[in-house]
Amino acid sequence: MALDPDEYTADELGEELETLDDVDELQTVLEAEQAGKNRKTAREAIHRRLEALGEAGDAEGLEGDTETEGEYEETKEDVGDEAEGEEVEEVDEGDEDAGADDESAAEGEEEDDGLSHPTRDKRHVRALDGGEYADMWVFCETQQGALLEVSREMLGKARELMDQFEDDYGSEERVVAFLMGDDCENLAEECIAYGADVAVYHDDTRLERFLHKPYTEIAAHMARGQGTIESTDWREYDEPRYVLFPATNNGRDLSAKVQAELDSGLASDCSDLYIEENEVSNPVKTGEPGVKKTFEKVLHMKRPDFSGFEYSTILCLDNPGRDFHPQGASIIPGSFDPIEPDYDREGLVIEHDMELDEDWFRVEIAEHDRLEAGIDLAGHEVIVCLGRGIADDPTRGMELGLDLVDAFEDAELGITRGIVTSAYQFEGHVEEYSKEERQIGETGQVVAPDLYIAAGVSGAVQHKVGMDESDTIVAINTDPDARIRDFSDYYVEGDLFEVLPRLTAAVESGETRLEAVADGSGGEER
């Protein structure tokens, strides 16, 4: 026998089979596989090759096969009872008419009332197998005609990652910004200044505000490289290698829909990213037990877990015969720093071309009111956060926090959820600082200042999620065992009503000595 399947992994065997054109030889290889390792993925590869040559091959070994644990199993779509066991034709992602309805039922078939089988025409759009992937795409969200700060932050991180990508792999891949809206060409040019090599935009007056359906359809259309030659000839790959979205309300919405449309995965609410290779032995990913496989150019997506004290690293790896691209993540605002803009930087600005279905705009916003601008705590050098420790005198505690904020050049006041939900009585103007818009934590804002001062904050995990990325954390608490001590750089054991005035005076005089606070020598302050 010219080809012994036992000498190859399932992936390698699939490549070798492409060189065989003799049906009898393929049947011999199939029999040898069944008598040897009898791998499901290998048998399927042989059958695919036989089908390509116009032969069905011996179905023995595939019928009634139940040994699927740890192996990849081809997806089939069962549509209603009548369609049980039938494989639905897969849709070519490169076909712009992929979503069109099939022809009506065969002649003579009873007319469908549209109710018995509502999913008869449903089609599962499969991810590409062995597609070409390149570049890191960044969805740059806009609001009121301007880029959100998180869009600039993601562009800066993407620029850093792809510069390192070139150093590590010797191939140059680009940062591609994509955005949509009304009159957004100038924002596309701004994306170039903030690190993008290419900016693809879609202009339409109806896209002034975020809309689920058209934004999803346009983003997926862009990612697949569909459109006129003028809007797509700058790229030669099938889909992006990586794609980033902001973890904003709209960004979370769009990221899930677009990645589902592209039949890939998504790591949500990430705070760090890096690209490395990974060696895995999971048979779902390698194709067979006992085999290790190295995946290159893997985007490692780190996100805080539900405890807030640990981080999970999420990977998006292909299965045999099943690609998961783009590798996608949504990014928590404030996780990265934008680069300094270079408005002389050169890059491609591409206007995307696509016919938008009128049905996507069935909902029309007749009128709207603009809410007063909220408090944005991100971007400040210093955050002073107050917690339940102000309970003895809430008004005085809030005033002391504001005094410390005023002592710094660029600072803002934040609060914990404990204050938002409390029944504290505040007097005078300080009451406005107790509103939910200043809350920091899992259900509030996420901040990452140079200096974070937590006064009277216990350190609940929900709060930790909102400030854990701060460069330096100083905690003030009367409880020596408060949880916040575990993740503080400096810990002051003392009453905030005594410590805050002294800290404010020190900042105003320019004579702060934080190292003395942390010397661990004992006493009330350490």
Side-chain angles (χ1 to χ4, degrees), residues 396-414:
R396 176 63 178 156
M398 194 73 81
E399 290 173 342
L400 292 177
L402 291 170
D403 288 343
L404 182 55
V405 166
D406 291 340
F408 290 100
E409 291 185 5
D410 181 20
E412 190 54 272
L413 184 78

Side-chain angles (χ1 to χ4, degrees), residues 2 31 96 277 334-335 369 439 482 490:
E31 293 170 2
E96 293 193 29
E277 67 178 27
S335 298
D369 290 325
Q439 179 184 325
Y490 301 95

Side-chain angles (χ1 to χ4, degrees), residues 177-492:
F178 67 106
L179 61 156
M180 52 214 76
D182 176 22
D183 192 21
C184 58
E185 181 178 2
N186 60 322
L187 299 181
E189 294 171 350
E190 185 177 351
C191 291
I192 301 295
Y194 276 94
D197 300 299
V198 182
V200 185
Y201 70 97
H202 191 105
D203 250 339
D204 192 298
T205 56
R206 296 169 294 178
L207 299 174
E208 180 182 3
R209 294 179 183 83
F210 178 80
L211 295 170
H212 307 276
K213 183 64 173 177
Y215 269 60
T216 299
E217 294 290 345
I218 293 170
H221 197 263
M222 288 176 171
R224 293 186 182 120
Q226 297 171 327
T228 60
I229 294 178
E230 291 79 9
S231 65
T232 61
D233 63 358
W234 60 273
R235 53 178 281 180
E236 297 179 352
Y237 51 86
D238 295 301
E239 291 178 0
R241 187 185 301 279
Y242 317 110
V243 61
L244 307 182
F245 299 86
T248 58
N249 290 337
N250 292 340
R252 288 187 178 105
D253 187 313
L254 184 67
S255 61
K257 286 181 168 63
V258 170
Q259 289 299 93
E261 181 69 23
L262 299 177
D263 211 10
S264 190
L266 176 74
S268 60
D269 294 1
C270 297
S271 59
D272 196 15
L273 304 168
Y274 59 96
I275 299 171
E276 286 184 358
E277 67 178 27
N278 250 86
E279 184 180 69
V280 300
S281 57
N282 187 333
V284 173
K285 300 301 178 185
T286 63
E288 55 188 291
V291 172
K292 292 185 177 180
K293 182 175 181 179
T294 299
F295 290 83
E296 292 187 342
K297 306 172 183 176
V298 178
L299 183 63
H300 290 61
M301 301 167 279
K302 295 185 65 176
R303 71 180 306 278
D305 67 10
F306 292 110
S307 73
F309 287 88
E310 300 291 341
Y311 284 82
S312 300
T313 300
I314 302 174
L315 311 179
C316 189
L317 305 177
D318 296 336
N319 281 0
R322 171 74 159 83
D323 293 358
F324 287 97
H325 283 83
Q327 300 172 39
S330 63
I331 309 302
I332 296 173
S335 298
F336 308 119
D337 294 324
I339 63 175
E340 287 295 323
D342 178 4
Y343 292 98
D344 294 327
R345 191 169 181 274
E346 295 184 356
L348 289 175
V349 176
I350 307 293
E351 183 173 9
H352 177 252
D353 180 76
M354 179 185 183
E355 190 75 25
L356 304 187
D357 194 328
E358 288 290 342
D359 194 49
W360 298 346
F361 300 93
R362 286 178 295 176
V363 176
E364 180 181 350
I365 300 175
E367 59 181 71
H368 68 280
D369 290 325
R370 181 178 299 177
L371 298 176
E372 293 183 8
I375 303 299
D376 184 6
L377 300 180
H380 293 283
E381 294 180 0
V382 180
I383 294 292
V384 177
C385 183
L386 301 177
R388 286 183 179 272
I390 67 171
D392 289 345
D393 190 343
T395 299
R396 176 63 178 156
M398 194 73 81
E399 290 173 342
L400 292 177
L402 291 170
D403 288 343
L404 182 55
V405 166
D406 291 340
F408 290 100
E409 291 185 5
D410 181 20
E412 190 54 272
L413 184 78
I415 56 176
T416 65
R417 183 161 184 78
I419 291 182
V420 175
T421 59
S422 72
Y424 298 156
Q425 297 298 313
F426 295 95
E427 299 177 3
H429 74 286
V430 298
E431 183 178 4
E432 66 183 83
Y433 293 92
S434 64
K435 304 294 178 56
E436 189 175 5
E437 63 183 2
R438 291 183 178 272
Q439 179 184 325
I440 295 173
E442 188 175 35
T443 56
Q445 297 195 45
V446 176
V447 297
D450 296 336
L451 175 61
Y452 189 88
I453 301 174
V457 176
S458 63
V461 294
Q462 293 85 351
H463 181 73
K464 182 177 185 292
V465 170
M467 45 70 73
D468 193 39
E469 296 297 317
S470 304
D471 288 347
T472 301
I473 300 172
V474 177
I476 303 167
N477 204 296
T478 56
D479 182 1
D481 298 319
R483 181 176 291 181
I484 196 169
R485 184 169 188 167
D486 296 336
F487 52 92
S488 296
D489 298 289
Y490 301 95
Y491 191 82
V492 181

